[in-house]
Amino acid sequence: MSKKVVIIGGVAGGATAAARLRRLDENIKIVMFEKGEYISFANCGLPYYIGGEIKKKSYLTLQTPESFNSRFNVDVRNMTEVVSIDKKAKKITALNLNTNTQYDEYYDYLIIATGASPYIPDIEGVDNEKVFTLRNIPDTYKIKDYVDTYNPKSALVIGGGFIGLEMTENLKNAGVDVYLSTRSNQVMSRIGYESACFVHNELKDKGVKLLLGTKPRSIKDSEKSLEITLENVFEKTYSTIKTDMVILALGVNPDSDLAIKAGLEVNSRGAVIVDEHMLTSDKNIFAVGDVTETFDFILNKPSYVPLAGPANKQGRIAADNIAGIPSTYKGTLGSAIIKIFDLTLAYTGLNEKDAIQNGIDYGKSFTFSPNHATYYPNPQFMSIMTLFDKKDGRILGVQIVGGEGVDKRCDVFATAIRAKMTAFDLTNLELCYAPPYGSAKDPVNMAGYAIENLITGKVKNFYVEDIPKLLKRDDIILLDTRTRYEYQLGHIDGFVNIPLDSLRDNLHLLDKTKTIYLTCQVGQRGYVASRILSQNGFDVYNLSGGYNLYSTIKGI
């Protein structure tokens, strides 16, 4: 007798599980419930329809109930909400939202793929009709229709994560002036402050009014617009702004009410706890996607990463196990990428906060490299922040900000981390090279070389955050090794200039009893200067990332 599998939820995890199950077993009975109209849509493409980059509504819908049934023979029941799960009887109770009738459906195995819901702050006026969230296609149409119908002049986006930044860009592209508010001192909390500063500068350059360290306290109607009271979380002061609409993009919470009511185990955040087979605390119930607690590949501990990539993999793994194929989820790196106007940001693995919180003895390195040979027209430089284990040089995490080629390099790093490669391995990677696409020493190789030099003691680094303390000392020498012209264009206060090419001729001017802290533009010439000085008896440190990183952080 064939098995019967009931799936609650479509989109990434649920639809993937259904399709995989059918490919593995032509006879299995599959019933998929979706309380909305759409079972499979391009969730990550929604902001780009609002901004006009994606022109047609139809492009957002990947599969209809009819097409999914035709291809995979899945009994799709959209506009039907599952209201309860009875573990003991192995049945769910469903409510047909069109007819308002309830009925029971029995299962051999159940897959919960209910996803996540936008976090809504408990503040006055949050239910105003001019306040929007973005999670699904109806949300998208609602925002798009409002923009097209009322032609708002301004908007406040609350939240500096993926949805917040994507909506900021797309509202600007639609001709709307945008305020962007985030309670942190930076956007994109999963990256380091240094990398976030590149994004801050890009947002400001594109005319976005960036309100860091703020959170909403109330939203009120004010004639034809909205008056929003914002609290500065650092100074504990208040201010008000007026806009025509508000986008809430404060992250998501797992949509796990069904699982909780059914008595399944969840973590403190409410995410369903699953094992490596995506099995819940009930032997007949699996859970996949944003509703679940996932597993951090590097830290070897539970985490919560609501991304499409892990959801798809988890749906496939649950299907495999139901079909009798032993399959396990190996954990997530949290690899992600985002376009922010003319900038691309990508990251994978640990960030510095993770490393500190988990007591990891890590090092970090900043490198700046072109996406292709500099003699080929229009090279675009990328900033790469690499975290590594000081003991063996194993790569722990990477953040890359730049233009073309960022995605390619971050994918290489993600592969390297998954393979537990070290910086020494990065130096040996043989990556594709031709002048339009890369350099003989790829940016990935260069990151490896920089870390190798640190681990083997050929150079010692210091960082931008160290500079305020250094400026108070009189027992050191602060040296800028750029050209006279570069130095005159802008430099760090307190640093004297001796260009690299004349450094050997001026060694007699330097006091060997004092430690030298030096900088150049991006760190490469500083490394050369460090080698000259250290081999002449000086104790020397090089500014990782150089003046380029310093000026970016300071907004110069």
Side-chain angles (χ1 to χ4, degrees):
M1 185 176 177
S2 62
K3 289 178 285 194
K4 180 178 178 182
V5 178
V6 169
I7 301 172
I8 309 174
V11 196
T16 296
R20 176 67 171 173
L21 273 170
R22 177 58 68 224
R23 291 193 296 268
L24 294 175
D25 189 338
E26 186 63 22
N27 298 312
I28 197 168
K29 182 172 176 57
I30 307 170
V31 183
M32 185 164 68
F33 291 90
E34 171 57 54
K35 67 180 179 181
E37 180 181 354
Y38 305 93
I39 63 161
S40 182
F41 58 89
N43 198 303
C44 297
L46 300 181
Y48 300 99
Y49 174 73
I50 295 169
E53 194 74 20
I54 296 174
K55 304 295 183 184
K56 296 182 179 180
K57 288 183 178 181
S58 60
Y59 291 167
L60 297 176
T61 306
L62 304 178
Q63 291 277 2
T64 65
E66 295 76 20
S67 67
F68 202 73
N69 177 266
S70 297
R71 177 162 297 181
F72 297 109
N73 189 24
V74 173
D75 183 356
V76 179
R77 303 179 192 177
N78 61 332
M79 300 304 296
T80 305
E81 182 179 3
V82 174
V83 295
S84 67
I85 301 169
D86 186 334
K87 296 186 299 180
K88 187 174 181 180
K90 293 172 64 176
K91 71 176 183 179
I92 59 96
T93 299
L95 172 65
N96 186 310
L97 299 176
N98 290 324
T99 64
N100 199 34
T101 57
Q102 283 192 5
Y103 62 93
D104 294 336
E105 193 77 33
Y106 289 85
Y107 61 83
D108 293 304
Y109 292 102
L110 178 68
I111 299 176
I112 299 174
T114 46
S117 303
Y119 170 72
I120 308 296
D122 183 18
I123 61 172
E124 177 187 355
V126 76
D127 57 350
N128 192 292
E129 62 181 7
K130 298 173 187 173
V131 177
F132 305 88
T133 59
L134 180 61
R135 186 65 183 172
N136 52 38
I137 287 183
D139 292 343
T140 306
Y141 292 164
K142 191 176 179 181
I143 297 171
K144 177 69 169 171
D145 290 344
Y146 183 84
V147 171
D148 291 345
T149 302
Y150 295 101
N151 191 28
K153 298 294 186 291
S154 63
L156 170 65
V157 175
I158 302 174
F162 283 97
I163 295 297
L165 289 174
E166 288 170 348
M167 281 305 304
T168 294
E169 176 184 358
N170 282 282
L171 285 171
K172 282 291 290 184
N173 290 343
V176 181
D177 286 333
V178 180
Y179 295 89
L180 176 60
S181 164
T182 178
R183 66 180 301 165
S184 173
N185 67 338
Q186 66 170 81
V187 299
M188 296 299 288
S189 61
R190 289 294 304 164
I191 64 174
Y193 180 74
E194 301 94 338
S195 298
C197 286
F198 288 92
V199 181
H200 296 167
N201 293 341
E202 176 71 5
L203 291 168
K204 293 173 184 176
D205 287 346
K206 293 301 189 292
V208 175
K209 301 172 184 70
L210 192 56
L211 306 172
L212 298 175
T214 61
K215 65 179 181 180
R217 280 304 186 185
S218 66
I219 301 171
K220 298 178 181 179
D221 277 306
S222 177
E223 298 178 351
K224 294 183 180 180
S225 61
L226 295 173
E227 183 177 276
I228 300 97
T229 299
L230 295 171
E231 178 188 355
N232 185 306
V233 299
F234 302 119
E235 300 174 1
K236 300 301 179 184
T237 56
Y238 295 86
S239 61
T240 60
I241 61 172
K242 287 187 176 182
T243 67
D244 298 322
M245 63 185 297
V246 171
I247 303 290
L248 295 177
L250 290 164
V252 297
N253 288 322
D255 197 351
S256 56
D257 286 350
L258 267 177
I260 293 171
K261 290 175 183 176
L264 298 176
E265 290 184 12
V266 298
N267 65 13
S268 59
R269 186 170 183 163
V272 179
I273 296 173
V274 293
D275 66 9
E276 60 185 355
H277 305 289
M278 306 313 300
L279 193 63
T280 69
S281 54
D282 184 283
K283 65 180 181 179
N284 298 107
I285 302 177
F286 293 79
V288 301
D290 295 356
V291 72
T292 65
E293 174 185 87
T294 188
F295 200 74
D296 190 291
F297 177 80
I298 299 173
L299 296 176
N300 198 34
K301 62 188 288 188
S303 65
Y304 182 67
V305 183
L307 292 172
N312 276 281
K313 293 176 179 63
Q314 292 163 4
R316 182 183 177 95
I317 288 165
D320 283 354
N321 285 289
I322 290 172
I325 301 172
S327 185
T328 59
Y329 187 63
K330 307 297 184 185
T332 182
L333 297 177
S335 302
I337 190 167
I338 183 173
K339 173 184 176 295
I340 308 156
F341 295 103
D342 297 328
L343 205 64
T344 299
L345 163 67
Y347 60 83
T348 185
L350 294 191
N351 60 33
E352 203 165 359
K353 297 169 194 168
D354 293 332
I356 293 171
Q357 289 173 1
N358 288 277
I360 296 173
D361 187 19
Y362 73 96
K364 64 179 178 180
S365 173
F366 295 92
T367 52
F368 287 86
S369 300
N371 64 315
H372 60 59
T374 53
Y375 57 80
Y376 189 84
N378 303 317
Q380 298 181 33
F381 280 77
M382 62 187 77
S383 165
I384 302 178
M385 176 184 179
T386 312
L387 299 185
F388 60 94
D389 191 313
K390 284 185 177 179
K391 296 190 299 291
D392 56 10
R394 178 185 168 192
I395 305 303
L396 301 174
V398 174
Q399 300 159 26
I400 311 179
V401 190
E404 293 181 6
V406 166
D407 53 345
K408 168 181 168 181
R409 273 65 186 209
C410 197
D411 286 342
V412 173
F413 277 111
T415 304
I417 294 173
R418 178 71 65 169
K420 299 184 179 180
M421 296 172 69
T422 69
F424 303 97
D425 296 318
L426 296 187
T427 66
N428 290 317
L429 287 180
E430 188 174 340
L431 303 174
C432 294
Y433 160 58
Y437 302 104
S439 300
K441 294 179 181 177
D442 190 84
V444 177
N445 299 134
M446 294 302 294
Y449 292 137
I451 297 169
E452 178 188 55
N453 289 334
L454 284 169
I455 292 175
T456 57
K458 294 181 179 67
V459 68
K460 295 185 290 186
N461 278 353
F462 73 105
Y463 302 94
V464 171
E465 61 263 33
D466 299 323
I467 292 175
K469 291 183 178 179
L470 295 176
L471 293 175
K472 297 176 182 179
R473 295 172 57 181
D474 57 9
D475 60 334
I476 60 175
I477 297 172
L478 301 176
L479 184 62
D480 189 322
T481 61
R482 295 176 299 156
T483 65
R484 300 285 187 198
Y485 177 71
E486 289 173 299
Y487 182 82
Q488 290 168 0
L489 287 177
H491 59 270
I492 306 171
D493 288 343
F495 280 70
V496 297
N497 181 223
I498 300 178
L500 172 62
D501 291 343
S502 60
L503 181 59
R504 290 184 180 87
D505 297 330
N506 289 281
L507 294 177
H508 63 283
L509 301 177
L510 302 173
D511 184 349
K512 284 189 177 181
T513 66
K514 294 185 176 183
T515 300
I516 297 176
Y517 291 82
L518 59 82
T519 186
C520 64
Q521 189 65 19
V522 300
Q524 192 169 11
R525 281 175 288 175
Y527 167 63
V528 176
S530 293
R531 295 303 300 154
I532 293 171
L533 291 166
S534 62
Q535 292 179 82
N536 279 277
F538 291 91
D539 184 25
V540 58
Y541 289 81
N542 183 32
L543 178 61
S544 188
Y547 183 76
N548 190 318
L549 184 62
Y550 174 86
S551 61
T552 298
I553 293 172
K554 299 300 180 181
I556 299 173

